[in-house]
Amino acid sequence: DAGITQSPRHKVTETGTPVTLRCHQTENHRYMYWYRQDPGHGLRLIHYSYGVKDTDKGEVSDGYSVSRSKTEDFLLTLESATSSQTSVYFCAVGTVNTYEQYFGPGTRLTVT
Amino acid sequence: QQPVQSPQAVILREGEDAVINCSSSKALYSVHWYRQKHGEAPVFLMILLKGGEQKGHEKISASFNEKKQQSSLYLTASQLSYSGTYFCGTDSGGATNKLIFGTGTLLAVQP
């Protein structure tokens, strides 16, 4: 357990509404990542952070933005949710020396 | 580009062995292996760094051939607890440890 929590754990929202998912860690890891998981696609990187206020895009970043104002929190925002963003979202943290990534419990998001 | 995993699915009896392969079209610095049980988060198994070192974790081991840009995960004497989906994640270098994951291999171990 790497001390990672995600909130909310489940959310149903309507098309066109903004949504923010939160990832919180307690162990001061430098790297944080947001992935989405869909059947047939595995895990795909949305955005990642390599420090406070330092973020970059991943493979599937269109329609998403992130912010990291504190080491412990990494927020993912869907600016205007679409049905194609219905997915399970996982946050992960990465260790500096050993390169391992540890995942949070996930958020199941449904956009109707 | 996502690494390719094979097979996509495999069914075993307890005690049997399995091999899961991961192949990338890009030069790799490291390969990571994760297991995910249904409804849960992926769990880190092991990492193999450039250099071809073979690593082990209980009865699960892996190899990494950097020249061929391939890694293989070996599960010996499988147990019911090994059931799940296995993902490889590849890192082509850089300081951010950014991983590209394969689409997964579903492993089902039956009694």
Side-chain angles (χ1 to χ4, degrees), chain B residues 2-3 6 10 12-14 20 25 29 31-33 39 43 45 49 53 57 65-66 83 87 92 94 98 102 108-109:
Chain B
Q2 282 184 289
S6 63
V10 58
L12 298 174
R13 295 282 183 190
E14 266 188 298
I20 300 171
S25 59
Y29 176 76
V31 178
H32 303 222
W33 286 97
V43 173
L45 290 176
L49 299 176
E53 183 181 352
H57 173 79
N65 185 326
E66 65 189 80
S83 293
F87 293 97
S92 295
K98 192 171 65 169
V109 180

Side-chain angles (χ1 to χ4, degrees), chain B residues 25-46:
Chain B
S25 59
K26 300 173 85 170
L28 301 176
Y29 176 76
S30 67
V31 178
H32 303 222
W33 286 97
Y34 290 79
R35 176 171 62 208
Q36 184 179 31
K37 294 189 179 286
H38 184 69
E40 299 181 7
V43 173
F44 174 81
L45 290 176
M46 67 186 72

